[in-house]
Amino acid sequence: MKVIKIHHPYYADDIPNNDVVLALGFFDGVHRGHQEVIKIAKKEADRRGIKLALMTFNHHPSVVFQKVDMMSIKYLTTVREKEELMASLGVDILYVIEFTSAFANLSPQEFVDEYIVGLHAKAAVAGFDYTYGKADIANMQTLPNFAKGRFDVIEVKEKTEDHLKISSTNIREMMANGDMEAANHFLGYIYQIHGTVVHGDKRGRLLGYPTANVKPTIQSLIPNVGVYAVKIKVADHWYDGMAQIGYNITFEKNRPMTIEVNILDFDQDIYGEKVDVKWYHFLRSEMKFDSMDGLINQLRQDEQDTREFFKGLEK
């Protein structure tokens, strides 16, 4: 897959001279609803014998429109993660547009002329709620008017399950409730974050449960506070583990939030390692213990529950 980053205005030479089917959207999470858009676009591209291109943005439009602090926005997928998922779904060209004020000020017609026709699209594919300007004038129903016969428009219907829309918003709510099974089901894969192992206070080692203190990518959305059954990738190998997202309230107040992973059957120092953590199952909420014995007994139970969970996945 070829990744092309575009800053508006672009030069025509920046764009490959190939006819494409173009999938449109922000695609945060690249969940099953997004996957349906890409699947339909891929099928159309194969039918026409041309490449599949996809357009996304480097950050959420609210950074420009609502003056939101860029670092305060948390994503289900970073641009890097989007690239990995798009490649696995058969996208040939990924356009990552820098969402700037200049780009945002394009009229709907200018957007269509420069970023659909200009990218050599013979068909544009997007979800039913896709917009490219003010929603009342720049939506999928009005797109054929702006197309002026230069490309076909394929609108993908809403994808639901149990009367609930498969959407980034609903996945975020599931994660906020610790319901990773539901979130992963809507995503169509196991949610994961990337991070670096950094030094912590090493209390876990004293308790007999050493942990890897994972500092995540700053823009990644973190599940709700609690203890989870996870898998962690260290040096290209996946290990089972139990992770706590929390504030270590047993030891002291007003601590910063940390992500600490006890890797089962593992005894190595891995400071500085880049790791991936997949979030499978919520075990329990964060708890404050009155004694170290109470904490250690709970950690033993967490370990047993984690092992039983992953054993059950193998059946």
Side-chain angles (χ1 to χ4, degrees):
M1 182 182 75
K2 186 172 185 178
V3 179
I4 301 174
K5 298 181 179 180
I6 294 181
H7 181 277
H8 181 79
Y10 64 83
Y11 296 100
D13 291 344
D14 297 336
I15 309 303
N17 192 25
N18 303 105
D19 289 343
V20 299
V21 170
L22 182 63
L24 299 163
F26 185 57
F27 297 102
D28 185 32
V30 197
H31 54 62
R32 286 169 50 211
H34 298 146
Q35 291 167 30
E36 184 70 11
V37 171
I38 298 169
K39 177 182 176 182
I40 290 172
K42 178 66 173 174
K43 184 176 180 180
E44 182 66 16
D46 290 345
R47 185 184 73 80
R48 294 173 182 251
I50 57 180
K51 292 186 175 183
L52 169 60
L54 185 145
M55 181 196 301
T56 188
F57 306 129
N58 65 326
H59 54 238
H60 196 274
S62 62
V63 171
V64 172
F65 290 128
Q66 300 174 22
K67 301 179 182 178
V68 175
D69 178 8
M70 187 181 299
M71 292 298 101
S72 70
I73 300 178
K74 306 301 179 184
Y75 298 100
L76 294 170
T77 42
T78 63
V79 173
R80 169 197 160 185
E81 291 160 348
K82 283 184 185 180
E83 290 176 6
E84 295 171 354
L85 289 164
M86 299 304 182
S88 71
L89 292 168
V91 174
D92 298 302
I93 304 169
L94 176 62
Y95 289 107
V96 181
I97 312 298
E98 293 186 30
F99 203 100
T100 62
S101 295
F103 177 80
N105 286 332
L106 289 171
S107 69
Q109 189 65 67
E110 288 171 332
F111 171 80
V112 169
D113 293 345
E114 297 181 36
Y115 285 90
I116 299 182
V117 176
L119 271 51
H120 310 300
K122 295 303 175 185
V125 183
F128 71 101
D129 54 356
Y130 178 75
T131 59
Y132 42 97
K134 292 184 178 180
D136 56 341
I137 61 171
N139 52 57
M140 289 301 287
Q141 290 70 48
T142 60
L143 186 54
N145 299 330
F146 294 115
K148 299 178 180 178
R150 293 170 293 177
F151 58 87
D152 296 325
V153 177
I154 301 175
E155 178 181 331
V156 180
K157 296 180 180 180
E158 180 180 45
K159 191 172 182 65
T160 63
E161 189 160 312
D162 295 329
H163 306 292
L164 189 63
K165 179 184 177 184
I166 297 177
S167 68
S168 301
T169 299
N170 284 329
I171 292 168
R172 287 169 177 271
E173 184 174 347
M174 292 165 179
M175 288 176 59
N177 292 328
D179 191 352
M180 293 310 302
E181 278 90 348
N184 291 334
H185 180 60
F186 269 29
L187 284 167
Y189 58 89
I190 306 301
Y191 184 71
Q192 72 177 40
I193 62 171
H194 303 283
T196 304
V197 178
V198 299
H199 284 276
D201 55 25
K202 298 181 174 61
R203 282 199 179 98
R205 190 174 298 278
L206 297 175
L207 297 170
Y209 286 88
T211 59
N213 190 343
V214 179
K215 184 177 181 180
T217 304
I218 194 168
Q219 290 181 301
S220 292
L221 182 68
I222 307 303
N224 194 24
V225 168
V227 179
Y228 294 81
V230 304
K231 286 183 181 288
I232 182 169
K233 185 180 181 182
V234 182
D236 294 324
H237 186 83
W238 287 99
Y239 300 89
D240 294 346
M242 54 184 189
Q244 171 162 301
I245 302 171
Y247 300 89
N248 287 313
I249 56 177
T250 294
F251 298 104
E252 57 188 88
K253 297 179 179 179
N254 302 318
R255 292 173 55 90
M257 189 190 78
T258 58
I259 300 173
E260 299 182 56
V261 183
N262 173 251
I263 308 174
L264 302 186
D265 307 316
F266 184 88
D267 185 21
Q268 299 177 33
D269 286 335
I270 54 173
Y271 299 115
E273 290 279 359
K274 301 292 185 182
V275 297
D276 298 332
V277 182
K278 289 186 175 181
W279 302 84
Y280 282 80
H281 174 67
F282 181 83
L283 293 171
R284 63 173 175 86
S285 300
E286 185 177 30
M287 302 163 60
K288 184 175 182 178
F289 296 89
D290 295 329
S291 67
M292 291 302 100
D293 286 342
L295 174 56
I296 292 169
N297 288 336
Q298 183 59 59
L299 290 172
R300 289 173 180 160
Q301 184 63 54
D302 294 340
E303 178 184 356
Q304 180 180 336
D305 292 343
T306 297
R307 291 185 185 277
E308 289 179 356
F309 173 79
F310 284 118
K311 187 176 180 180
L313 286 186
E314 295 173 358
K315 293 180 180 179

